[in-house]
Amino acid sequence: MDSEINITQPTHVSVLLNESINGLAIEPNGVYIDGTFGRGGHSKKILEKLNANGRLIAIDRDPSAIKYARENIKDNRFEIEQGDFSNLKYFVNERGLTGEIDGILLDLGVSSPQLDNAERGFSFSKDGPLDMRMNSNSGMTLKEWLSVASIEEIFYVLKNYGEEKFAYRIAKAIVAYRESDETPELENTLQLAQIIELATPKKDKNKHPATRSFQAFRIYINNELEEIKKVLNDSIDVLKKGGRLSVISFHSLEDRIVKQFIREKSRRKALPKGLPLTDDEVNSMTSKPLIKALSKAIKPSDEEILSNIRSRSSILRIAEKL
């Protein structure tokens, strides 16, 4: 087996690492997918558990993650695709592996290198361009969208993707700033964070006023929630019987989607009571559960939160295909 894993660049600490990998119940000669490579913490752990016949396919939309993977993981059991994880089924079909995947891991958070690199525009504490694209080579930047979005459109994004209670005040303030002849062009993260802070009448001492707004804008710019819904649904076709799905989410919107997906797909759809049908007719008209939940919400230990504050909101859910 030809393998070389360079772990000399500890730029990202993987959250719930052991719990999420254990949840996959890895078979040494299995085929696994890391749908969110990031900086490879989960991928490296999976590779440690595979034998020479095992295989790992990673996916990431971020060009910097692809570059990091190709420079740091030299292993003939490993390959990586650049693209959205919503393309999961395509990447698997392309390899003739549909229905043959032993496990899928999805870490839905933003990686530390993305947050820490001011040039990516994810941080409200470091000045950088208003970008926020996961794939910095395609799509509309936040600056471009904010330059044309109406108050109503900004309000909708802040309310629905950030659950921001001062959404309308913030949206109104952003448009007023944009349309003023006395203010410089809105193009940097610290400008936006200051606008949000000034528009927020009540401050949470434990959270920056721009936290929810920046989350909302990031989700919108990258179409994150629809991407999650699609990859979850496609995972059922991709996994083999007994294959595991291990998903880490970082805020309530993500976790709600994962929780509802597992609940819906693990239930048998029932017909209304009282219909005059035979047992065979009932069985033919109702769908069987497709997956089963293997855990309730798993949260990081106090020790992990102390060593990595970014893990504090993370939640892991594990399911198995029936």
Side-chain angles (χ1 to χ4, degrees):
M1 178 176 63
D2 176 22
S3 66
E4 178 188 343
I5 302 177
N6 183 345
I7 55 173
T8 59
Q9 295 177 281
T11 56
H12 177 69
V13 179
S14 297
V15 170
L16 290 163
L17 178 60
N18 292 322
E19 294 89 341
S20 60
I21 301 301
N22 291 340
L24 292 175
I26 290 177
E27 295 288 340
N29 61 347
V31 182
Y32 291 87
I33 293 175
D34 181 353
T36 45
F37 177 80
R39 284 303 180 268
H42 292 104
S43 282
K44 292 165 187 173
K45 197 73 172 178
I46 292 171
L47 287 169
E48 287 176 8
K49 294 180 176 291
L50 296 178
N51 63 23
N53 297 316
R55 186 173 177 186
L56 175 62
I57 303 161
I59 303 168
D60 207 295
R61 65 168 78 175
D62 187 344
S64 67
I66 302 299
K67 182 175 184 289
Y68 177 89
R70 290 175 177 161
E71 290 177 352
N72 289 274
I73 301 185
K74 310 293 185 181
D75 192 316
N76 59 9
R77 303 167 300 167
F78 174 83
E79 55 187 317
I80 189 164
E81 290 275 6
Q82 182 175 357
D84 300 334
F85 56 44
S86 61
N87 293 326
L88 170 72
K89 188 183 286 189
Y90 170 79
F91 293 136
V92 174
N93 283 343
E94 197 176 37
R95 292 165 170 81
L97 292 172
T98 300
E100 299 297 327
I101 301 301
D102 292 274
I104 300 169
L105 187 142
L106 300 170
D107 177 351
L108 304 178
V110 181
S111 70
S112 294
Q114 289 173 324
L115 289 171
D116 294 337
N117 182 356
E119 291 300 311
R120 302 301 300 274
F122 292 108
S123 175
F124 47 74
S125 61
K126 298 178 181 179
D127 203 19
L130 288 174
D131 193 323
M132 284 204 188
R133 294 171 298 167
M134 294 290 191
N135 182 349
S136 54
N137 293 329
S138 68
M140 179 181 284
T141 66
L142 178 59
K143 175 189 173 183
E144 291 168 337
W145 182 70
L146 286 179
S147 70
V148 296
S150 65
I151 292 176
E152 291 72 22
E153 288 171 325
I154 298 171
F155 166 76
Y156 177 88
V157 168
L158 294 175
K159 189 70 175 177
N160 289 280
Y161 299 152
E163 300 177 312
E164 172 56 67
K165 60 183 176 181
F166 301 115
Y168 191 78
R169 294 177 67 108
I170 293 170
K172 190 176 178 181
I174 290 171
V175 173
Y177 181 96
R178 182 185 78 198
E179 295 181 349
S180 172
D181 294 330
E182 300 176 359
T183 56
E185 183 180 5
L186 179 55
E187 54 186 0
N188 295 320
T189 52
L190 290 187
Q191 283 178 290
L192 179 59
Q194 184 177 39
I195 294 168
I196 294 168
E197 186 170 10
L198 291 173
T200 305
K202 293 181 181 179
K203 311 292 194 294
D204 182 341
K205 64 180 181 179
N206 297 316
K207 185 180 292 185
H208 190 284
T211 301
R212 292 183 180 275
S213 296
F214 271 59
Q215 170 191 299
F217 291 140
R218 191 201 77 224
I219 289 172
Y220 175 75
I221 289 296
N222 295 289
N223 195 30
E224 290 181 28
L225 300 187
E226 293 307 312
E227 295 277 323
I228 293 169
K229 291 174 185 177
K230 187 174 188 306
V231 73
L232 290 175
N233 280 308
D234 287 351
S235 69
I236 293 176
D237 294 331
V238 164
L239 287 168
K240 70 194 311 183
K241 181 180 178 181
R244 297 284 186 90
L245 178 65
S246 188
V247 187
I248 304 168
S249 57
F250 285 81
H251 56 74
S252 59
L253 295 176
E254 292 174 342
D255 183 56
R256 197 175 303 144
I257 291 171
V258 178
K259 182 179 179 180
Q260 289 175 350
F261 166 78
I262 293 175
R263 179 186 296 156
E264 177 188 342
K265 299 302 180 182
S266 61
R267 288 178 176 173
R268 183 184 183 123
K269 290 185 179 178
L271 292 173
K273 292 182 178 180
L275 292 180
L277 299 171
T278 66
D279 288 345
D280 288 342
E281 288 173 326
V282 169
N283 288 333
S284 69
M285 295 174 68
T286 57
S287 60
K288 296 180 179 179
L290 299 174
I291 60 176
K292 66 176 178 180
L294 296 182
S295 72
K296 294 184 178 180
I298 299 171
K299 298 183 179 181
S301 65
D302 292 340
E303 290 77 14
E304 178 170 3
I305 293 172
L306 284 172
S307 64
N308 179 16
I309 191 62
R310 287 174 178 169
S311 71
R312 68 188 182 279
S313 61
S314 60
I315 295 175
L316 169 66
R317 296 186 187 272
I318 303 164
E320 181 180 293
K321 181 174 176 178
L322 298 173

